Amino acid sequence: SFALPHCVLVQNPPALPLLLVARLYCWWLGIVVLFSRSSNQRRKIPGLIVDWHNLGYSMLAEGSPFRKVAKVYESILAPF
């Protein structure tokens, strides 16, 4: 048996690819808890907390196609 985290803390930047990995980890833990037979486990998906120092895409060169991809990536995976 292991204790489940209440949350996962990610510092941004760098968001690529860590935001996706952290989201998938939280989702996976939610699946594990859902199918767990242990009654003492929390029945909740851990929250993802992003420590936004600044937006990662904003540090990339203006007009760069990678900047546009990074902006969409950040807005989808950490919209708040």
Side-chain angles (χ1 to χ4, degrees):
S1 178
F2 61 95
L4 294 174
H6 293 276
C7 62
V8 175
L9 177 63
V10 175
Q11 182 176 332
N12 187 54
L16 294 166
L18 192 56
L19 284 177
L20 179 61
V21 171
R23 279 262 186 223
L24 290 174
Y25 178 73
C26 290
W27 176 77
W28 178 78
L29 282 179
I31 297 292
V32 168
V33 169
L34 182 65
F35 292 106
S36 172
R37 295 179 187 229
S38 175
S39 61
N40 62 352
Q41 293 287 348
R42 289 184 316 114
R43 301 276 179 207
K44 189 174 178 185
I45 297 173
L48 177 62
I49 300 172
V50 181
D51 180 12
W52 292 99
H53 289 282
N54 43 20
L55 297 170
Y57 80 87
S58 67
M59 297 187 303
L60 300 171
E62 284 283 336
S64 165
F66 188 67
R67 179 185 170 115
K68 293 175 186 173
V69 170
K71 183 176 182 177
V72 170
Y73 176 87
E74 288 181 357
S75 66
I76 290 172
L77 292 173
F80 303 105

